[in-house]
């Protein structure tokens, strides 16, 4: 295992900058916000730690890229920022996301609520779900994993056409695996920052995807024409577990972060770190490091305290329903399902520690 440690001065400059205008901007932040962000360059901080690399296949080793500090983010001429008339994040479900209509609807609500808290201050709106056929996308069966896949680029074109006037961005979510081009095996997601569109798949986040017993394998692709989407009528959808919800929330917020102009983080353990594989994505925390938090706050304009409180409320607000009920036992007619937030409990404790620093 390799630990990437930057000097205190390097982290301080990455966060605050040496540009007098940006230093002055930082000094005008609330005292509690400065106290929390200053944890970035405290070697003994138990809130923000260094990045750890576990194998040569990890992102930073295999995808060398220039780090982005706050000043570079702030000065980026291509960065898009929400404006008063474009302050909405739209979520478009493509295909069913759960094994029943109720599960699908609840799961989308949970993701929407999480985005509202994470990008606190912006509106998050749901578009009516659409079947795969509505996108007119290309599709295939993966030769290696034998699962259905839809073409990410085609979906992006569909979303661009559907983007509402007041949208800062529109993101598609699906339980069907994605591929960006014929020569690629798969992709977790793809986004166009200039168009403010993205598509993300949670298909590989089920506990059984990489197992021998995976039920989503398709023997052979039978289609009479390029417009025959009947194979998607009953495609396999994994059970919505707490781990799958956590992984989905991570991917969604990481990719929307890119649309705001945040590049992959190379400073501290952070949601915005790149990931090459599921194991690495699982090690990545849900939270932003102080450098990336300052970037997002600059773009959106939220109070950090209010944002953290909203995230705690999302974790605490377990939808009413039969205690202990699982999606397998639920019925179409049931009301709200309990939100599976067990995997978020540790993060909630971390947020409470941050709130203690902010509100000293």
């Amino acid at each position: 295992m390799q630990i990437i440690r930057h000097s205190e001065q390097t982290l301080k400059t990455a966060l605050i900058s040496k540009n007098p205008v940006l230093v002055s901007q930082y000094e005008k932040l609330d005292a509690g916000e400065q106290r929390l962000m200053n944890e970035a360059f405290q070697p003994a901080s138990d809130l923000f730690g260094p990045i750890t690399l576990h194998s040569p296949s990890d992102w930073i080793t295999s995808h060398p890229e220039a780090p982005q500090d706050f000043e570079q983010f702030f000065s980026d001429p291509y960065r898009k920022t929400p404006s008063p008339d474009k302050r909405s994040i739209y979520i478009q479900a493509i295909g069913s996301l759960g094994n029943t209509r109720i599960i699908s609807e609840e799961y989308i609500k949970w993701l929407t609520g999480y985005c509202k808290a994470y990008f606190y201050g912006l509106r998050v709106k749901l578009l009516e779900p659409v079947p795969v056929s509505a996108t007119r996308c290309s599709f295939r069966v993966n030769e290696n994993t034998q699962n259905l896949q839809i073409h990410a680029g085609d979906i992006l074109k569909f979303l661009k056409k559907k983007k509402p006037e007041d949208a800062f961005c529109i993101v598609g979510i699906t339980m069907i695996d994605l591929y960006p081009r014929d020569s690629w095996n798969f992709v977790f997601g793809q986004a166009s920052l200039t168009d403010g569109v993205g598509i993300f798949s949670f298909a590989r986040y089920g506990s059984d995807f990489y197992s021998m017993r995976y039920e989503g394998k398709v023997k052979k692709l039978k289609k009479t024409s390029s417009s025959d989407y009947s194979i998607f009528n009953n495609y396999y959808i994994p059970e919505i577990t707490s781990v799958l919800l956590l992984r989905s929330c991570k991917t969604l917020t990481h990719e929307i972060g890119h649309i705001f102009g945040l590049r992959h983080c190379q400073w501290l353990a952070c949601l915005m770190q790149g990931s090459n594989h599921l194991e690495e994505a699982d090690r990545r925390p849900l939270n932003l490091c102080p450098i990336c938090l300052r970037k997002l706050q600059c773009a959106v304009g939220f109070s950090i305290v209010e944002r953290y409180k909203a995230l705690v409320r999302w974790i605490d607000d377990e939808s009413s329903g039969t205690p202990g009920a699982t999606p397998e036992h639920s019925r179409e007619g049931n009301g709200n399902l309990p939100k599976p937030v067990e995997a978020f409990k540790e993060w909630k404790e971390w947020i409470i520690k941050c709130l203690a620093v902010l509100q000293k």
Side-chain angles (χ1 to χ4, degrees):
M1 187 172 81
Q2 182 191 347
I3 297 174
I4 298 177
R5 260 186 224 285
H6 298 285
S7 70
E8 289 174 50
Q9 191 54 52
T10 298
L11 290 169
K12 190 172 183 176
T13 305
L15 171 67
I16 301 172
S17 167
K18 288 185 175 173
N19 178 323
V21 174
L22 298 183
V23 172
S24 168
Q25 190 189 90
Y26 187 78
E27 287 168 351
K28 285 175 186 161
L29 290 175
D30 172 89
E33 292 185 339
Q34 286 186 55
R35 194 161 47 240
L36 179 74
M37 290 198 196
N38 287 348
E39 288 278 325
F41 49 86
Q42 308 299 332
S45 174
D46 64 345
L47 294 175
F48 304 102
I51 293 171
T52 57
L53 301 179
H54 291 244
S55 80
S57 66
D58 282 0
W59 182 271
I60 287 180
T61 314
S62 54
H63 291 81
E65 53 189 321
Q68 180 198 50
D69 59 21
F70 178 76
E71 185 174 340
Q72 287 165 319
F73 167 83
F74 187 83
S75 320
D76 182 355
Y78 303 107
R79 178 170 68 84
K80 287 195 163 34
T81 304
S83 58
D85 57 338
K86 291 187 187 296
R87 286 188 69 78
S88 297
I89 294 170
Y90 279 87
I91 296 178
Q92 172 70 73
I94 294 164
S96 183
L97 298 177
N99 287 314
T100 70
R101 181 181 56 80
I102 292 288
I103 296 168
S104 195
E105 286 173 0
E106 289 295 297
Y107 176 55
I108 297 168
K109 279 185 205 164
W110 297 335
L111 290 173
T112 304
Y114 185 78
C115 277
K116 277 182 184 167
Y118 212 90
F119 301 102
Y120 188 76
L122 295 186
R123 291 181 290 272
V124 181
K125 299 178 181 179
L126 271 179
L127 292 169
E128 199 63 36
V130 297
V132 178
S133 57
T135 69
R136 316 313 296 165
C137 67
S138 302
F139 58 96
R140 71 179 188 185
V141 170
N142 183 297
E143 288 177 2
N144 305 308
T145 46
Q146 272 85 54
N147 62 306
L148 275 171
Q149 294 184 305
I150 51 180
H151 192 282
D154 290 350
I155 305 282
L156 291 180
K157 286 176 196 163
F158 166 77
L159 292 170
K160 188 180 173 184
K161 286 177 192 165
K162 275 202 77 175
K163 190 178 177 186
E165 278 296 308
D166 67 333
F168 169 69
C169 66
I170 175 171
V171 293
I173 54 174
T174 185
M175 275 296 182
I176 306 163
D177 207 24
L178 301 170
Y179 71 104
R181 55 180 73 100
D182 291 343
S183 58
W184 279 51
N185 184 26
F186 80 98
V187 68
F188 283 120
Q190 197 172 340
S192 165
L193 309 193
T194 48
D195 294 328
V197 295
I199 172 67
F200 320 115
S201 167
F202 308 137
R204 292 177 180 247
Y205 292 164
S207 56
D208 59 347
F209 187 88
Y210 294 99
S211 74
M212 294 297 289
R213 66 178 192 281
Y214 178 61
E215 293 174 39
K217 291 181 179 175
V218 178
K219 299 276 189 299
K220 199 176 177 186
L221 184 57
K222 295 173 188 167
K223 62 174 174 177
T224 53
S225 71
S226 60
S227 58
D228 178 11
Y229 290 88
S230 57
I231 196 162
F232 293 99
N233 291 348
N234 290 297
Y235 63 87
Y236 176 73
I237 301 170
E239 184 190 346
I240 309 297
T241 62
S242 188
V243 170
L244 189 143
L245 180 61
L246 180 132
R247 287 169 171 170
S248 308
C249 287
K250 266 190 194 179
T251 296
L252 196 53
T253 47
H254 172 100
E255 298 298 346
I256 294 173
H258 282 319
I259 297 174
F260 278 97
L262 279 76
R263 290 196 220 132
H264 284 127
C265 182
Q266 298 182 53
W267 305 109
L268 295 158
C270 176
L271 174 86
M272 291 310 297
Q273 280 170 248
S275 66
N276 245 0
H277 44 82
L278 192 55
E279 185 188 345
E280 187 177 18
D282 282 344
R283 286 198 303 268
R284 185 170 66 186
L286 283 155
N287 59 277
L288 296 168
C289 75
I291 297 157
C292 292
L293 180 61
R294 187 182 178 197
K295 292 174 189 176
L296 189 64
Q297 186 193 36
C298 168
V300 179
F302 50 67
S303 148
I304 296 175
V305 167
E306 294 309 317
R307 175 179 177 270
Y308 280 154
K309 284 180 179 175
L311 286 163
V312 170
R313 279 196 301 275
W314 181 87
I315 297 167
D316 285 345
D317 178 28
E318 298 182 32
S319 296
S320 58
T322 313
T326 65
E328 294 168 294
H329 303 120
S330 61
R331 296 280 177 269
E332 278 287 344
N334 274 1
N336 294 341
L337 292 168
K339 192 195 299 171
V341 291
E342 304 79 40
F344 294 83
K345 296 296 184 190
E346 197 178 306
W347 191 46
K348 178 187 165 183
E349 289 167 16
W350 179 88
I351 296 173
I352 289 166
K353 281 186 192 172
C354 289
L355 283 168
V357 173
L358 284 157
Q359 297 174 309
K360 260 182 193 172

